[in-house]
Amino acid sequence: MDVEKIMLDLEKKHPGEVEYLQAVREVLESIEEVYNENPQFQSAGIVERLIEPDRVLTFKVPWVDDNGKVHVNLGYRVQFNNAIGPYKGGLRFHPSVNLSILKFLGFEQIFKNSLTTLPMGGGKGGSDFNPKGKSNTEIMRFCQSFMLELWKLIGPETDVPAGDIGVGAREIGYLYGMYKKLAREHTGVLTGKGVNWGGSLIRPEATGFGTVYFANEILKNKGMDFKGKTVTVSGFGNVAWGAVQKVNELGGKVVTLSGPDGYVYDPEGITGEKVDYMLELRASNQDIVKPYSYEFPNAQFFENKHPWEVKCDVALPCATQNELNKEDAEHLVNSGCICVAEGANMPSTPEAIEVLQEAKVLFAPGKAVNAGGVAVSGLEMTQNSSKLNWSADEVDARLHKIMADIHSACVKHGTDAEGYVNYVKGANVAGFLKVANSMLDLGVV
Ligand code: NDP
């Protein structure tokens, strides 16, 4: 495989789609060796077919705010690859959303979903709509207008969206309500649903819990665990919340949280009532990080800074893409960080990953680490189609096992001659092989 040539061609076709090109390059570089060992992949054009989405759908989303003003946002669904199951991937509502970001996320989702061992293909969608500061009724009107277009493209056996940044339980409720009305059926077409109407227990916590289960496997593999470890976390959203809870349960101490405007450092640890306080702030749709430092006097707010300058044993970036850069990675290495596990999707820049791997920090990519979210979404689909609800313990046990299995797959495919586990390579190769072999079986379609 000629990675440079493939990338050049892709750049020509999709100029300026930085995040998408970055994600494709990372995967191609990781799978190059295994690809070249299997000439059947080359002759079936697997890579050329895999790096382009099956289809991209764009639509306008008009909606009216509480003052009667009309707004028009863009809506997207990227159906990337359905070789191993229906398209599956979240919806992101954020002003930064564009095609490049959704294609990067959809592409990553193919391998992530493959790693879970569940039958789910890769997709992603969303809108440049900003839910921040909007009233409930505005959010509802937006979601309804969005679904008016989306519903024709999705289905429980076709494409099953879920939440992501800016899309939590409330938005899934409004989206599903509209879908149900239009389709006149109650099916598992979205995941992350409320438990009263088809949702799975543990889904809200799943990505964060799974992130920590995976990080714990990394530590276990080196004879360590979370007990007594200092942990830095970024963000305070769906993922970060579950991660903080689970680190606390396993005996670690989380000392940071962050938002786009900076981070808070709480040397005493973010536990109990402090987590509850953050959840309250989050639910009230406010600027969530800074007020923490007013409420808890030992905490400090650092404006426009990243939490990676704080000394830690384990770092869990759980906010957004490219939030951990080369300089941040150098701070982490110099402060003796053992492990960086990505709760978010692609939070580390390629330069940061290079620094961490060079220093033999145990670095694991989002597509493996945060796969717990989509894994429990897959379990939600299974519960919906069998019309059963599993207990929280049952879902959690399955999640735990899936994360341990993903870790084993990464170790199998990513361990080098010196015993260092390159989790990026391991995750990409393991995820790729299942999809590539399925595509071979299915012919050129
Ligand atoms: P949320 O919107 O719930 O949370 C995102 C958090 O990150 C918020 O606290 C947000 O602050 C903060 N944030 C946003 N931009 C920045 C920035 N530039 N620097 C620091 N903090 C920032 O999203 P999720 O928790 O759902 O998603 C987080 C990441 O995890 C994303 O990469 C997502 O794709 C990934 N992911 C999510 C899954 C899920 O199940 N939800 C599953 C797998 C991956 P503020 O609210 O103030 O903007």
Side-chain angles (χ1 to χ4, degrees), residues 348-362:
S348 315
T349 63
E351 298 77 26
I353 298 173
E354 212 177 304
V355 168
L356 295 170
Q357 289 183 329
E358 190 86 356
K360 302 289 181 215
V361 172
L362 297 162

Side-chain angles (χ1 to χ4, degrees), residues 55-59 75-79 99 150 153 159:
R55 65 193 66 78
V56 174
L57 304 133
T58 309
F59 47 92
Y76 305 89
R77 188 70 185 163
V78 178
Q79 296 181 333
L99 213 45
L150 186 73
L153 316 173
D159 183 351

Side-chain angles (χ1 to χ4, degrees), residues 10 66 86 140 150 166 229-230 380 416:
L10 201 66
D66 290 345
M140 182 175 75
L150 186 73
K229 298 277 183 303
T230 300
E380 184 174 325
D416 70 15

